[in-house]
Amino acid sequence: HTVRAKKFILACCAVQNARLLLASNRQAPKGLGNDRDLVGRFFMEHIEIKSAELWLSVPEKLKMYMWESELTKARAELAISPEQQAAHRILNGTSSLTPLDIAKDQQAFIDIWEDAKGDGMAKKMREEQDTTSAESAVRKEDKGFQAFQLFTRIEQAPNPNSRITLDPERDELGVQRSHLHWELTALEKRSIRKIYEIIGREAGRAGVGRVRLLDYLRDEQDMNWPSFTGGGWHHMGTTRMSDNPQTGVVDAQCKVHGIDNLYVAGSSCFATAGAPNPTLTLVALSLRLADHVKAQLKN
């Protein structure tokens, strides 16, 4: 079957956008838009990992930081100010608090993903969170908790070695499958460590408690990551945006450099990741692209 159109928009998520461009290699041996070997590079995820413990001088409920009920799935998280991020040259991230006696029995998300497939992963994650909410509710009439696990969600620095490539194995349609090489840098680890050094310093200054780093963060020379390192299902960056075709795959209008009628939508166009969930940003970017293409077609 052949489809002809004036404009094409590729909107298949960060992994599949890169895969389809790379696999479209009959006319362009390296893949569409890949003359400079940039398609698939700069894959980014939000690193999600337990990082430290907060021990308070006296027990506290910290109600604002807890899941309160099935109806109010929202809570506050700690973050470092933009000024401190700039001063210390660290990435943007947040820290959530979970009572330590609850968190210690929770399975790491990366292990949940290994054990469950498809819809089962989301179901199992919800069960873990609901268990936390239920146990917190049991304790909310008490004096509170004295120790909390600090859990990090942080952006990944753009890294050309973190990338999507084509795997020799093909799917049922004969298209090569995607292969992910997810590579972190020293900046991610230094940023996480510095975040908790700052939180610990401020907790001590305020006299409310102390922060204890987990073992993998204590040695500044150790660049290894523990087995419970995970991501947030937030795939970004594989067709990154740049006005310069030497450094990006699409331009400011999400058009693939060198191809007048091919556009890419979604988080694959992100040049950096930030710490928040990418959904609203990728939707806004896609709506902006839709308006641009409609204007082009009218002309």
Side-chain angles (χ1 to χ4, degrees):
H1 186 72
T2 300
V3 175
R4 298 184 184 275
K6 293 181 179 180
K7 306 284 184 181
F8 291 88
I9 300 175
L10 193 59
C12 303
C13 84
V15 173
Q16 298 300 331
N17 281 348
R19 177 198 181 199
L20 290 176
L21 287 175
L22 291 171
S24 300
N25 53 19
R26 283 185 292 179
Q27 285 79 25
K30 296 180 180 179
L32 293 178
N34 197 35
D35 293 346
R36 298 167 181 84
D37 191 28
L38 293 174
V39 173
R41 291 189 182 273
F42 300 99
F43 173 87
M44 294 175 289
E45 248 281 22
H46 285 139
I47 304 163
E48 298 195 351
I49 187 170
K50 55 185 179 182
S51 305
E53 297 171 0
L54 173 63
W55 288 80
L56 301 178
S57 303
V58 295
E60 295 283 353
K61 294 181 182 179
L62 296 184
K63 183 177 179 180
M64 187 171 67
Y65 296 90
M66 298 294 120
W67 294 120
E68 277 301 300
S69 72
E70 189 67 32
L71 298 177
T72 57
K73 287 289 189 181
R75 65 178 177 185
E77 295 186 350
L78 299 173
I80 307 302
S81 70
E83 293 76 17
Q84 285 290 301
Q85 291 175 39
H88 294 287
R89 301 179 65 85
I90 60 175
L91 298 167
N92 183 261
T94 63
S95 178
S96 61
L97 283 68
T98 303
L100 190 58
D101 57 358
I102 294 174
K104 66 184 180 182
D105 295 324
Q106 288 182 326
Q107 190 177 5
F109 284 165
I110 192 69
D111 294 329
I112 294 175
W113 301 342
E114 286 291 327
D115 293 345
K117 303 299 179 185
D119 293 339
M121 290 187 284
K123 180 180 178 181
K124 197 165 184 181
M125 289 176 67
R126 285 195 298 269
E127 289 173 351
E128 286 281 322
Q129 292 175 340
D130 290 343
T131 299
T132 300
S133 301
E135 296 189 39
S136 294
V138 171
R139 293 288 301 275
K140 70 180 182 181
E141 299 302 326
D142 297 345
K143 295 181 179 180
F145 302 91
Q146 189 154 14
F148 293 82
Q149 176 185 277
L150 297 173
F151 185 88
T152 308
R153 295 173 182 84
I154 191 170
E155 66 178 329
Q156 178 182 349
N159 176 9
N161 294 329
S162 184
R163 66 185 301 194
I164 300 292
T165 56
L166 293 180
D167 192 272
E169 182 183 340
R170 296 178 182 270
D171 64 14
E172 292 82 355
L173 298 177
V175 181
Q176 287 180 262
R177 296 187 184 278
S178 55
H179 174 81
L180 168 63
H181 174 71
W182 187 35
E183 183 174 311
L184 305 180
T185 71
L187 179 56
E188 282 89 14
K189 200 165 187 185
R190 183 176 72 80
S191 298
I192 294 173
R193 183 185 298 109
K194 180 56 67 174
I195 285 173
Y196 291 105
E197 288 176 356
I198 295 171
I199 293 175
R201 182 187 66 205
E202 295 305 313
R205 194 205 309 263
V208 298
R210 292 290 187 270
V211 167
R212 174 184 177 273
L213 295 177
L214 296 192
D215 291 343
Y216 75 94
L217 290 174
R218 294 183 183 181
D219 183 356
E220 295 185 7
Q221 304 305 314
D222 180 10
M223 292 298 108
N224 294 313
W225 292 86
S227 61
F228 49 80
T229 305
W233 290 340
H234 301 156
H235 303 159
M236 299 164 278
T238 58
T239 62
R240 72 194 317 252
M241 181 184 291
S242 174
D243 286 333
N244 185 350
Q246 300 289 339
T247 56
V249 177
V250 302
D251 63 16
Q253 303 301 333
C254 300
K255 183 182 75 67
V256 175
H257 287 296
I259 303 178
D260 290 338
N261 68 338
L262 178 59
Y263 297 81
V264 179
S267 59
S268 66
C269 298
F270 288 13
T272 58
N277 290 14
T279 305
L280 294 180
T281 305
L282 72 89
V283 169
L285 193 62
S286 299
L287 291 172
R288 176 176 173 272
L289 170 58
D291 290 339
H292 173 74
V293 172
K294 284 190 290 186
Q296 292 287 311
L297 292 174
K298 287 180 181 179
N299 295 332

